[in-house]
Amino acid sequence: MSSSSSKVQKRQKFEAVFPVLRDELVAHLAAQGMPEDAKEWYTKNLDYNVPGGKLNRGLAVVDTVEILKGRSLTDEEYFKAALLGWCVEFLQAFFLVSDDMMDQSVTRRGQPCYYRLERVNLIAVNDSFMLEMAIYYLIKSHFRSDPCYGYLIELFHETTYQTEIGQLIDLITAPEDHVDLSKFSLEKHKLIVIYKTAYYSFYLPVAAAMYMCGIPHSASNDPYELARSILIPLGEYFQVQDDFLDFAGTPEQIGKIGTDIIDNKCSWCINTALAHATPEQRTVLDANYGRKDAAAEARVKALYHEMDIPKLYEQYEEAAYKRIMGLIETIPAEPVAPQGQVVLKREVFVSFLQKIYKRTK
């Protein structure tokens, strides 16, 4: 079987779990005696906002459980791993629905943002809360008697808080309607990226899989701390890539037109440019960055090329790859598992790194 058809099959198997979870959530609503129009509204909320993305975060939970167990999963194991994967996707949906309102965005995944649908408007605030709370209902429903139950609840709560902290820093550092490049720096960018993206996109899926597999915490060389020390830099590297592709990638490559410059985003490109700018170049950036003006955007892009941002990115990427591989190699190549116990494996992190190294979309 080719890798592309295997990937399609994996996605289809994962997608098949979503209607089961959606129907369980709607049935729970019905059991509370909620009226028909509330059930229909909730169903629409779930169907519109949760499936339909790349599903990378959710699939990462299933992939990690399979790697850690070192074998094919039973039907029950697969369902529970996929459920946790969908919980990560529910969290993503909660963030996106609320983020689109904060940013007053127009489209998401090629369709109108949820809050812009007829009759929805600010009801989307409550709908985003319901997407979040679905996570805890599903985990309680299926993991209540598992030893990892408390850890999973704590993990999702902590990750949500971390992401909200990252969103706050981003919103007050780079509001779309007020450009102040003096607030920008590579240190600020790193902080935003770690809290807003790396924790929930990289650490959360792997830690959820580790808890499901029963990997214990340890007072020395804690496997969760080790995983975090690799996955947070990995998430940072992924976002820097995303920022660079927004500037350098073509719409055919990345599936969208880059808007970071006109949207006043605190991206790696602008922060790197600020770190290397002469006083004259800084004046150009101050005058043109974050303006809703194609000519101003073109001037910033021309300056990026003048400063050789692509070359600086290439240097960053190679250094990041070496640093992350060095961290991965601190995990024993052939870990010895105590009888019946699952242990952390290099393959979990190598598979992540291989998926994103040198990506072009």
Side-chain angles (χ1 to χ4, degrees):
M1 189 190 295
S2 73
S3 64
S4 61
S5 62
S6 166
K7 201 173 174 183
V8 169
Q9 282 192 354
K10 269 187 172 182
R11 183 186 172 104
Q12 287 173 341
K13 186 178 181 183
F14 182 69
E15 285 178 321
V17 175
F18 175 73
V20 179
L21 303 179
R22 177 201 60 210
D23 292 349
E24 181 182 340
L25 289 163
V26 175
H28 173 66
L29 208 69
Q32 312 302 305
M34 295 298 124
E36 198 60 37
D37 56 353
K39 289 186 283 179
E40 287 172 6
W41 188 282
Y42 191 33
T43 304
K44 180 183 76 171
N45 174 15
L46 295 168
D47 283 339
Y48 198 87
N49 294 309
V50 183
K54 294 175 188 168
L55 306 182
N56 291 338
R57 295 168 182 83
L59 285 163
V61 179
V62 178
D63 289 346
T64 303
V65 171
E66 286 179 338
I67 290 168
L68 291 174
K69 287 191 175 287
R71 58 171 172 78
S72 295
L73 304 183
T74 65
D75 288 347
E76 185 189 355
E77 286 172 336
Y78 181 85
F79 178 79
K80 291 180 91 166
L83 182 149
L84 288 178
W86 277 110
C87 284
V88 178
E89 294 294 332
F90 272 89
L91 190 67
Q92 159 88 335
F94 160 53
F95 291 148
L96 297 185
V97 169
S98 51
D99 188 54
D100 285 343
M101 284 186 281
M102 288 179 242
D103 292 346
Q104 291 291 288
S105 298
V106 176
T107 59
R108 166 74 63 186
R109 295 171 177 168
Q111 57 186 8
C113 292
Y114 181 65
Y115 78 96
R116 297 184 71 246
L117 296 186
E118 189 180 357
R119 292 176 57 226
V120 176
N121 200 358
L122 293 182
I123 297 174
V125 175
N126 192 63
D127 284 341
S128 74
F129 298 159
M130 291 186 73
L131 292 170
E132 182 194 17
M133 285 303 108
I135 296 164
Y136 301 102
Y137 175 79
L138 290 170
I139 293 176
K140 183 177 179 180
S141 176
H142 295 272
F143 284 88
R144 187 75 176 82
S145 58
D146 283 36
C148 66
Y149 175 64
Y151 287 118
L152 288 171
I153 296 295
E154 194 174 74
L155 174 66
F156 274 89
H157 278 149
E158 282 182 356
T159 306
T160 302
Y161 194 25
Q162 285 158 335
T163 310
E164 289 162 352
I165 290 167
Q167 174 76 337
L168 171 65
I169 304 165
D170 193 17
L171 289 168
I172 62 177
T173 301
E176 203 172 326
D177 58 350
H178 180 71
V179 182
D180 181 0
L181 297 186
S182 68
K183 286 189 167 187
F184 286 21
S185 67
L186 282 165
E187 291 75 23
K188 186 78 70 75
H189 175 263
K190 181 174 182 169
L191 198 61
I192 292 168
V193 166
I194 288 173
Y195 279 85
K196 188 177 174 180
T197 302
Y199 275 111
Y200 94 91
S201 297
F202 286 82
Y203 179 68
L204 172 62
V206 172
M210 289 167 66
Y211 282 127
M212 181 182 150
C213 291
I215 293 181
H217 279 280
S218 169
S220 61
N221 299 320
D222 182 38
Y224 292 87
E225 280 306 314
L226 178 55
R228 192 195 317 262
S229 74
I230 298 168
L231 291 161
I232 297 308
L234 229 162
E236 188 187 343
Y237 164 43
F238 175 83
Q239 186 60 50
V240 169
Q241 259 185 336
D242 232 36
D243 290 354
F244 178 71
L245 289 171
D246 184 274
F247 151 61
T250 64
E252 292 74 31
Q253 268 183 313
I254 62 175
K256 62 180 181 180
I257 296 167
T259 60
D260 283 1
I261 294 170
I262 60 170
D263 288 345
N264 190 38
K265 294 291 185 192
C266 184
S267 106
W268 179 85
C269 297
I270 181 63
N271 284 296
T272 300
L274 290 168
H276 290 83
T278 64
E280 293 78 13
Q281 289 170 329
R282 176 59 189 258
T283 302
V284 174
L285 291 171
D286 281 327
N288 293 282
Y289 197 77
R291 314 292 168 194
K292 303 282 189 249
D293 171 13
E297 181 188 28
R299 282 191 284 274
V300 174
K301 284 190 170 183
L303 193 60
Y304 283 177
H305 283 294
E306 184 187 310
M307 299 175 81
D308 213 353
I309 294 294
K311 179 73 176 172
L312 292 170
Y313 170 73
E314 199 179 294
Q315 291 169 357
Y316 167 85
E317 181 165 55
E318 290 312 308
Y321 181 82
K322 282 181 187 164
R323 181 165 69 107
I324 293 162
M325 275 307 298
L327 290 165
I328 291 170
E329 284 163 5
T330 63
I331 301 169
E334 299 292 335
V336 180
Q339 186 65 35
Q341 193 171 303
V342 175
V343 293
L344 205 51
K345 294 177 183 172
R346 278 188 191 181
E347 194 189 337
V348 169
F349 308 99
V350 172
S351 69
F352 262 105
L353 188 55
Q354 284 172 342
K355 281 173 194 161
I356 64 175
Y357 181 55
K358 299 277 189 191
R359 73 186 171 103
T360 56
K361 62 181 181 179

